[in-house]
Amino acid sequence: LNMASKLLEELIPITDGYEEEIKCLQNKINEKKLYQSLTEDKKRTYDKVMEKGRAYYHANDFYTANDCYVFGMDITNHPIFDYYIGKMLYKIGKLDDAYYHLSKYREHGGEKLLKSLVYLNAINYINGNIEEIKKNEEVANRLKTALDIDFKPFMLARFIEKTEMNNSINK
């Protein structure tokens, strides 16, 4: 982790035009450092919250999963919880609140950045913010290419399909 930080510091001056990529890498390092800096009690809480949150998520209990992640954020202040809170809020239909947390994660997060962009784009699609979708897709494509990440945001197509289906049913 220290080596990654030093290497990144040395690369920053010669990486003009790669600000998003550098920010993503720096945020990934910061997420790991923050976890390592937690007390043992807080690490156990973090781990338990992640385990419980996933279990509730897989049981489609998004409200309880969200409560878990909010608790994790309150205890650890780790940025990963903004991603999970945003994801759960999206699932329960609180799109403005979801957008807030996912945007916050976009700024400070790294590990789940590409996934957060998919959810942000789903909300942008629902709200008709096509320009934001284009910006996020450009960032996602740059990150996938520069960081050699195998990520296929196939989920956006499903979100769009579901949204259009729900809109036609509600008419």
Side-chain angles (χ1 to χ4, degrees), residues 42-152:
K42 287 185 178 183
K43 282 181 186 174
R44 278 192 295 280
T45 299
Y46 174 103
D47 295 341
K48 195 66 161 174
V49 164
M50 295 301 272
E51 177 186 324
K52 292 278 188 188
R54 278 189 200 101
Y56 287 119
Y57 172 76
H58 290 296
N60 292 323
D61 186 352
F62 304 129
Y63 286 96
T64 307
N66 188 59
D67 290 344
C68 283
Y69 296 132
V70 168
F71 178 75
M73 176 61 87
D74 288 345
I75 299 297
T76 67
N77 202 30
H78 196 286
I80 196 73
F81 291 113
D82 272 315
Y83 166 74
Y84 285 111
I85 292 167
K87 179 179 175 178
M88 292 309 103
L89 291 169
Y90 176 87
K91 296 284 186 181
I92 59 179
K94 294 185 177 185
L95 300 184
D96 289 341
D97 293 334
Y99 195 86
Y100 169 79
H101 285 280
L102 292 164
S103 294
K104 199 168 156 188
Y105 185 76
R106 185 185 192 283
E107 185 63 30
H108 302 288
E111 191 63 36
K112 300 286 185 182
L113 182 58
L114 289 174
K115 287 184 177 185
S116 71
L117 292 174
V118 171
Y119 282 100
L120 285 169
N121 274 355
I123 296 168
N124 283 321
Y125 177 81
I126 292 165
N127 293 332
N129 298 332
I130 303 306
E131 288 306 310
E132 282 299 309
I133 291 172
K134 289 177 184 174
K135 287 179 194 175
N136 287 341
E137 284 180 351
E138 182 181 315
V139 168
N141 287 330
R142 287 183 59 188
L143 290 172
K144 288 186 321 186
T145 301
L147 304 177
D148 195 26
I149 299 171
D150 183 24
F151 181 81
K152 297 171 184 69

Side-chain angles (χ1 to χ4, degrees), residues 150-169:
D150 183 24
F151 181 81
K152 297 171 184 69
F154 64 90
M155 294 179 283
L156 181 57
R158 264 193 302 175
F159 290 137
I160 291 169
E161 186 179 299
K162 266 187 179 178
T163 301
E164 289 174 349
M165 192 169 61
N166 289 340
N167 287 343
S168 66
I169 290 170

